Amino acid sequence: DAGVTQSPTHLIKTRGQHVTLRCSPISGHKSVSWYQQVLGQGPQFIFQYYEKEERGRGNFPDRFSARQFPNYSSELNVNALLLGDSALYLCASSLLGQGSTEQYFGPGTRLTVT
Amino acid sequence: AQSVAQPEDQVNVAEGNPLTVKCTYSVSGNPYLFWYVQYPNRGLQFLLKYITGDNLVKGSYGFEAEFNKSQTSFHLKKPSALVSDSALYFCAVSNDYKLSFGAGTTVTVRA
């Protein structure tokens, strides 16, 4: 079975630009979460979507937005990029999106902002 | 609020020796606790979780973890470490929908 897939693998953008990251969950999983992992730190929660509805948002500015599509895939959008947005962006899927349910992570998208 | 602490940035052990990676947590209500492992330039791989029940949880690749409610700890253990266990390990806690991760512990197993 295919795991969580993310695209692109790597991305280089300039400050002020916009970026869209994509994620396809494991087949049958209805929940997708996004995390930001800065080098040397643990992942930080950005968003969770379940059945196309936003269930939670972490402490990130409004420049960050996301959505989930009817096929449960998801996009993370970041506007007006800053140097500090450079990080590994991880997508995770889970069956039900409950706290007791383990999340399965994709390989991530490495975003570099110059 | 929920959080975890991993007090050791690095753990070094010889192959064949026991491996322990420490984690303490803070959460209101019943905790859901997880361990993940990350290899270089890769996403996180799920190792094991504690939801309820037996305090000793067994997971993938011979890892296990012991939940201790009185000490609010969830330490990861492996009786005999392998060189291939060298990686970055994260403890995480959840009581709703999001995972809160520790800063991670780098494990190096020397041959």
Side-chain angles (χ1 to χ4, degrees):
Chain A
D1 287 340
V4 177
T5 59
Q6 294 185 243
S7 63
T9 306
H10 295 87
L11 204 52
I12 300 175
K13 291 287 190 178
T14 304
R15 279 176 298 176
Q17 286 188 318
H18 162 91
V19 68
T20 297
L21 310 181
R22 296 177 174 83
C23 172
S24 292
I26 292 171
S27 178
H29 284 193
K30 298 182 178 180
S31 177
V32 169
S33 298
W34 288 94
Y35 294 81
Q36 181 196 64
Q37 186 179 17
V38 174
L39 194 62
Q41 298 181 17
Q44 297 293 317
F45 172 76
I46 309 176
F47 285 109
Q48 190 195 66
Y49 278 77
Y50 177 71
E51 287 281 17
K52 302 177 287 295
E53 297 289 329
E54 181 184 309
R55 292 193 62 198
R57 181 188 184 113
N59 188 25
F60 281 81
D62 291 343
R63 299 184 296 106
F64 288 76
S65 64
R67 55 180 175 168
Q68 187 177 32
F69 299 99
N71 66 353
Y72 301 110
S73 67
S74 178
E75 284 183 354
L76 175 70
N77 295 283
V78 186
N79 293 323
L81 285 166
L82 303 174
L83 293 179
D85 295 330
S86 296
L88 180 67
Y89 288 84
L90 296 165
C91 173
S93 76
S94 63
L95 192 60
L96 297 175
Q98 297 172 341
S100 60
T101 308
E102 59 268 31
Q103 297 183 25
Y104 293 91
F105 286 79
T109 293
R110 174 74 63 186
L111 173 64
T112 302
V113 182
T114 63
Chain B
Q2 56 191 43
S3 65
V4 296
Q6 295 181 241
E8 300 162 318
D9 291 337
Q10 291 197 351
V11 170
N12 299 300
V13 298
E15 188 173 36
N17 282 2
L19 169 64
T20 298
V21 186
K22 296 179 180 177
C23 172
T24 59
Y25 67 89
S26 174
V27 66
S28 57
N30 293 323
Y32 302 131
L33 296 160
F34 302 81
W35 276 101
Y36 285 83
V37 61
Q38 186 175 35
Y39 295 98
N41 301 314
R42 301 283 295 277
L44 279 68
Q45 294 181 26
F46 169 73
L47 282 178
L48 50 80
K49 69 178 180 181
Y50 171 83
I51 303 301
T52 187
D54 194 348
N55 288 342
L56 185 63
V57 178
K58 294 189 181 296
S60 306
Y61 312 117
F63 284 95
E64 57 190 28
E66 186 169 10
F67 172 70
N68 188 315
K69 187 173 184 178
S70 62
Q71 297 186 5
T72 62
S73 66
F74 188 57
H75 301 330
L76 181 70
K77 300 180 180 183
K78 187 171 184 179
S80 179
L82 302 172
V83 172
S84 57
D85 293 329
S86 298
L88 182 57
Y89 290 79
F90 289 101
C91 180
V93 65
S94 172
N95 69 347
D96 42 31
Y97 49 84
K98 71 176 184 180
L99 288 169
S100 297
F101 287 88
T105 299
T106 299
V107 170
T108 302
V109 182
R110 60 185 184 277

